[in-house]
Amino acid sequence: MVLLLGGAGFKGPKGDNRMSKFRPSLFMLLHMIVLGIETSCDETAAAVVDGERRILGEALLSQTEEHRPYGGVVPEIAARSHLAHIDALVAEAMDQATIGYDDLDGVAVTGGPGLIGGVIVGVMCAKAIALAAGKPFLAVNHLEGHALSVRLVEEVAFPYLLLLVSGGHCQLMVVEEVGCYHRLGATIDDAAGEAFDKTAKVLGLGYPGGPAVEAKAREGDAGRFDLPRPLAGREGCDFSFSGLKTAVRRTADGFGENGEAAAQDVADLCAEFQAAVGDVLVDRCRNAMKPFRNRNNGGDGLVLAGGVAANGYLRARLEALAGEDGLRLFCPPPELCTDNGAMIAWAGVERLRRGMTDGLDFAPRPRWPLSE
Ligand code: KG4
Ligand code: ZN
């Protein structure tokens, strides 16, 4: 891999490092092709997407097996693995799309937030391609990738209410436009995905936990155990999951003589845990409806995005809520909910259409609030 460090004051192609005068033609709006790169956590991913919502090529390598022995993502292992695989994955996505770098209209990459070693690998790779091919560079906020991913699948009009639930984030926001996000609430401790992962760990279901807990929950009954619904019934749109996580651990501590849990105990606790998360998400979203409606007079979409949105039970709960309140639920397919390159490429298309490109002096960001 060629690593390029764009220092302060570095000028992009034609010496214009913000490219703010970029104005695409109508033809370009429809036919623009963007390469997207994602390396912020434990998925190394690249995809090529065009302005007509077509995924022309995509390649993804999950590092699950490398992190499994540690029960969670190890940043150093993640960064090294991204570095080892990113070139081949970009080449694979480009091959599938049967295009060359000259055919691209832009190169988008997750610029943060995330594990900084991985983010640096992706950003340097994208900068190298953008510079060598003379194409616009687009630094995408990972959360924006999730927030806009649904528009890669269907035409969801702005503004919409977004529930973003992933391994690192849990937020409710109004998506007013590309680049314009108003946060209504967020978690005050753990993210929802983290709670799924910790629950799986405590119950010996392995890593990553979300899909395993969902599968076990299907075999169990909610209600046999009694778990809390943190913040439910209270005002506001914030979330809290740490108390729920602790309650799961305490309940599991009481299982079996030697700490060995019976299969039915595990399934019932998973079902109760998932029901508790569902109750909390529904309660918080219900509180968000009023401020959402106060901020706009046209939007009728509730969008569910992020890795936890792959959960079928939670989708059904939010679909029911949206129906009650006269909103429509939109949710990307599961493979676009968890981290992927296509959502970053698509966010790149959305930004490129609006001339929102970045200079090669962009510095990768471990933290990057979306409302900034
Ligand atoms: O969006 P994502 O791939 O990465 C982050 O940006 O964090 O989300 C990963 C999270 C993990 O915590 C994982 O356990 C959770 O999404 N997840 C699920 C499901 N599939 C993935 N949680 C609940 N049910 C699922 N089916
Ligand atoms: Zn994510």
Side-chain angles (χ1 to χ4, degrees):
M1 168 184 291
V2 185
L3 286 186
L4 265 174
L5 288 162
F10 183 90
K11 299 285 182 215
K14 300 191 188 101
D16 177 4
N17 72 349
R18 299 305 304 176
M19 304 188 81
S20 55
K21 295 200 178 72
F22 179 76
R23 293 282 179 274
S25 65
L26 183 61
F27 179 84
M28 205 177 160
L29 283 179
L30 282 175
H31 297 277
M32 60 175 46
I33 300 178
V34 172
L35 167 67
I37 294 174
E38 159 60 40
T39 55
S40 67
C41 192
D42 59 344
E43 257 97 32
T44 317
V48 180
V49 165
D50 75 4
E52 290 180 275
R53 300 194 167 86
R54 290 181 301 193
I55 299 175
L56 306 177
E58 61 181 332
L60 184 146
L61 189 73
S62 172
Q63 302 173 358
T64 303
E65 291 311 320
E66 288 171 79
H67 299 292
R68 197 187 295 281
Y70 307 94
V73 181
V74 182
E76 176 75 19
I77 293 175
R80 286 174 186 276
S81 184
H82 287 307
L83 188 57
H85 300 293
I86 188 66
D87 287 352
L89 291 165
V90 167
E92 168 66 22
M94 293 292 291
D95 280 356
Q96 277 180 24
T98 59
I99 57 166
Y101 293 115
D102 273 353
D103 301 312
L104 292 173
D105 295 295
V107 184
V109 63
T110 297
L115 300 174
I116 194 63
V119 178
I120 290 173
V121 170
V123 167
M124 292 309 162
C125 178
K127 281 183 181 178
I129 295 170
L131 181 69
K135 304 294 178 181
F137 169 75
L138 303 123
V140 171
N141 184 312
H142 181 80
L143 305 180
E144 179 172 65
H146 282 302
L148 301 176
S149 58
V150 72
R151 285 167 51 89
L152 170 57
V153 187
E154 54 193 316
E155 183 71 59
V156 184
F158 298 120
Y160 51 81
L161 178 62
L162 171 75
L163 173 60
L164 173 54
V165 270
S166 72
H169 302 273
C170 188
Q171 306 187 1
L172 263 164
M173 65 182 92
V174 183
V175 178
E176 315 248 14
E177 235 302 330
V178 175
C180 188
Y181 308 94
H182 176 76
R183 200 163 84 170
L184 298 175
T187 183
I188 56 173
D189 42 53
D190 295 343
E194 223 174 321
F196 268 94
D197 293 336
K198 299 253 170 72
T199 294
K201 198 170 176 180
V202 161
L203 294 174
L205 300 177
Y207 164 86
V213 171
E214 182 180 13
K216 281 283 167 205
R218 261 185 239 118
E219 298 158 21
D221 288 319
R224 189 179 138 216
F225 298 107
D226 188 19
L227 295 178
R229 271 66 175 159
L231 297 184
R234 304 259 289 271
E235 277 188 14
C237 304
D238 285 339
F239 303 84
S240 165
F241 292 102
S242 75
L244 179 57
K245 183 183 74 186
T246 309
V248 167
R249 204 189 53 234
R250 285 221 188 90
T251 308
D253 282 349
F255 283 172
E257 305 238 311
N258 308 313
E260 290 275 314
Q264 198 55 50
D265 291 343
V266 171
D268 289 345
L269 187 53
C270 285
E272 172 65 9
F273 166 79
Q274 198 173 250
V277 175
D279 286 348
V280 167
L281 296 184
V282 165
D283 179 87
R284 308 283 83 194
C285 276
R286 194 173 274 134
N287 283 6
M289 301 285 184
K290 204 169 157 204
F292 170 59
R293 289 213 160 95
N294 285 346
R295 285 189 71 85
N296 75 86
N297 44 25
D300 69 347
L302 169 62
V303 171
L304 181 60
V308 179
N311 185 293
Y313 168 83
L314 297 176
R315 282 174 183 240
R317 293 289 309 268
L318 286 151
E319 179 124 48
L321 172 77
E324 273 171 34
D325 281 84
L327 295 185
R328 284 181 63 199
L329 181 78
F330 297 94
C331 192
E335 65 278 12
L336 285 180
C337 287
T338 47
D339 290 350
N340 63 88
M343 71 179 190
I344 302 304
W346 175 254
V349 168
E350 298 256 36
R351 293 186 79 81
L352 190 56
R353 281 175 171 169
R354 292 160 178 83
M356 300 160 87
T357 59
D358 295 274
L360 292 178
D361 56 351
F362 172 85
R365 302 180 186 182
R367 293 179 183 278
W368 188 359
L370 192 49
S371 45
E372 212 170 68

